[in-house]
Amino acid sequence: MQTVDVLVVGAGLAGLRTARLLARRELNVMVVDRRRSLSTGIRTTGIFVRRTLDDFDVPDHLLGPGVRDVLLYPPSRRAPIRLTSDRDEFRVADMAGVYEHAHRAAESAGARVLLGVRYVGASMGVVQLAGAEPVRARFIVGADGARSRVARDLGLDVNRRFLVGAEIVHPIAPGTSRPAFHCVLDPRIAPGYLGWVIDDGRHAHVGVAGYPNAMRTGVRHLLDAFAADAPGSTPSAGPVERRGGPIPVGGVLRRLACPAGLLVGDAAGAVSPLTAGGLDPCLRMSELAAAVIAGYLRTGDQRMLSRYDGDALRSRFRGRLLLRRVFAGIRSPAAAEAAVAVLRGRAGRALAARILFGDGSFPEVDPRLADLAIDHSYR
């Protein structure tokens, strides 16, 4: 039976980045993912915010044009609120290309990435796999999504509060739209969240998300109804792709690590509880995770694991967790119209701009680990 220092379960952005950072620290790293191709099973719109693009080197050729305008619509779709930044705030990525880039970067650093291999379970350091022989792992990283099997096997916390999202992605003719982010607050089609339209210059993304228990006709039916007359939508110029999946919105989980492993990305609840954005948190949390893992495996000191502290990270999101509860309580069109009316005022617009354009994203790496977190690039 082969032995590895770290087995990463899940070849999403969080798993591949963590693997790359660990391999650069000369650890023996293996990544497994049940998908045979990373271009399948994509569950994210791929919206990168300005702060992520400032701090991490996402290849420019994989990014669409900058988006500075956000339009917030009430259920009536009349008189949207336009918020405009003086900088590019969002860019939509070709996520298949981003995953392939991260795949190559992880392998270039020395990690082995095995696709078409499914994690079955782990006990006493032995990991059972479907599609490959068992391996003995000193440490396991759960990067296996919102409903993490690794989290359950390691006895760590699991996500319990979810939105469910669905999206239609289709090519558009170049030059047919001005980059903008259209957001519709309408609990009839997106209870507890939004409907949205955004394009990356090549593809349009039309989606909805909400609490599944309030989506009585199902998310796919609601998406089709929204897409029929969604504001800012552009006619399709080719085949339509559908995406979808659960989005954890309960905040970063408290118990994230134990001597056998830890969690990153959606598995750790590393998603903004208010905006449901997960790309920036997964990159920042992967950096912290890699520093903690490397320190722990090098020293054997379990106190290192306490620095991967979910409670400390959650404390940075108290305001957003409160706003998530407020957002969840908007369950009627009248309440949504009233909420948008509040945002039309000076204070409301300032709050919306702060949420959408502000610099307050995921916490930085713990300063006590700065000597370990030596790699701040995404290349």
Side-chain angles (χ1 to χ4, degrees):
M1 185 184 301
Q2 64 176 310
T3 298
V4 298
D5 292 320
V6 183
L7 178 73
V8 179
V9 181
L13 200 55
L16 290 170
R17 178 166 174 78
T18 304
R20 175 178 175 271
L21 294 174
L22 290 169
R24 285 175 62 101
R25 290 168 168 84
E26 300 184 349
L27 292 168
N28 182 357
V29 182
M30 177 186 290
V31 183
V32 297
D33 194 292
R34 63 183 179 181
R35 294 175 294 168
R36 296 187 180 278
S37 169
L38 297 184
S39 64
T40 63
I42 295 174
R43 294 188 172 186
T44 175
T45 298
I47 300 173
F48 282 89
V49 298
R50 172 177 47 79
R51 185 170 179 236
T52 313
L53 298 176
D54 286 346
D55 293 349
F56 299 93
D57 185 16
V58 182
D60 191 73
H61 73 278
L62 297 175
L63 296 167
V67 177
R68 299 187 176 197
D69 292 326
V70 176
L71 286 83
L72 301 175
Y73 296 79
S76 65
R77 316 282 177 89
R78 293 193 295 268
I81 301 170
R82 181 183 289 270
L83 300 171
T84 301
S85 174
D86 58 0
R87 300 174 290 186
D88 291 344
E89 295 290 348
F90 309 99
R91 295 180 74 180
V92 184
D94 169 10
M95 287 308 297
V98 168
Y99 288 139
E100 184 54 37
H101 176 81
H103 180 183
R104 291 195 302 268
E107 290 190 325
S108 295
R112 287 172 291 163
V113 180
L114 304 181
L115 301 181
V117 174
R118 180 171 58 86
Y119 169 86
V120 176
S123 177
M124 304 295 291
V126 176
V127 182
Q128 301 295 328
L129 303 170
E133 295 297 317
V135 298
R136 187 177 299 278
R138 295 175 61 196
F139 203 80
I140 302 173
V141 174
D144 52 335
R147 294 189 172 99
S148 171
R149 173 69 183 272
V150 173
R152 297 181 187 279
D153 288 350
L154 297 182
L156 299 174
D157 285 353
V158 296
N159 293 296
R160 301 191 183 281
R161 297 181 61 196
F162 297 94
L163 302 174
V164 61
E167 183 177 73
I168 293 171
V169 183
H170 61 75
I172 59 174
T176 56
S177 65
R178 176 184 174 183
F181 194 176
H182 302 265
C183 300
V184 180
L185 181 60
D186 186 347
R188 294 170 298 186
I189 56 99
Y193 194 59
L194 298 167
W196 66 88
V197 178
I198 192 169
D199 72 64
D200 60 11
R202 298 175 297 273
H203 295 82
H205 299 253
V206 182
V208 299
Y211 288 104
N213 60 354
M215 291 180 153
R216 294 183 176 84
T217 59
V219 66
R220 180 162 181 164
H221 174 81
L222 292 173
L223 172 59
D224 289 342
F226 175 65
D229 64 348
S233 58
T234 306
S236 173
V240 172
E241 172 193 351
R242 287 183 178 268
R243 300 177 180 178
I247 308 167
V249 289
V252 177
L253 301 174
R254 288 183 167 84
R255 188 161 187 259
L256 296 173
C258 68
L262 57 69
L263 308 175
V264 295
D266 283 8
V271 174
S272 170
L274 179 58
T275 65
L279 294 174
D280 185 83
C282 89
L283 290 173
R284 297 185 193 281
M285 200 160 184
S286 297
E287 190 162 338
L288 175 58
V292 167
I293 295 166
Y296 170 61
L297 293 180
R298 189 176 67 240
T299 65
D301 186 352
Q302 293 188 18
R303 290 176 296 181
M304 288 293 300
L305 299 175
S306 67
R307 296 179 179 179
Y308 197 65
D309 183 357
D311 277 324
L313 293 170
R314 285 180 67 87
S315 68
R316 298 287 298 273
F317 289 98
R318 287 173 183 162
R320 296 191 178 204
L321 284 166
L322 176 60
L323 287 172
R324 160 53 41 201
R325 289 193 288 270
V326 173
F327 210 166
I330 301 174
R331 292 298 180 95
S332 72
E337 291 280 355
V340 174
V342 169
L343 295 176
R344 293 187 190 280
R346 179 178 297 179
R349 292 176 69 91
L351 174 62
R354 181 178 178 184
I355 292 170
L356 292 166
F357 303 151
D359 290 325
S361 184
F362 201 76
E364 297 288 357
V365 172
D366 188 329
R368 293 173 297 174
L369 298 173
D371 59 325
L372 295 174
I374 59 174
D375 185 352
H376 292 272
S377 72
Y378 180 67
R379 291 172 294 191

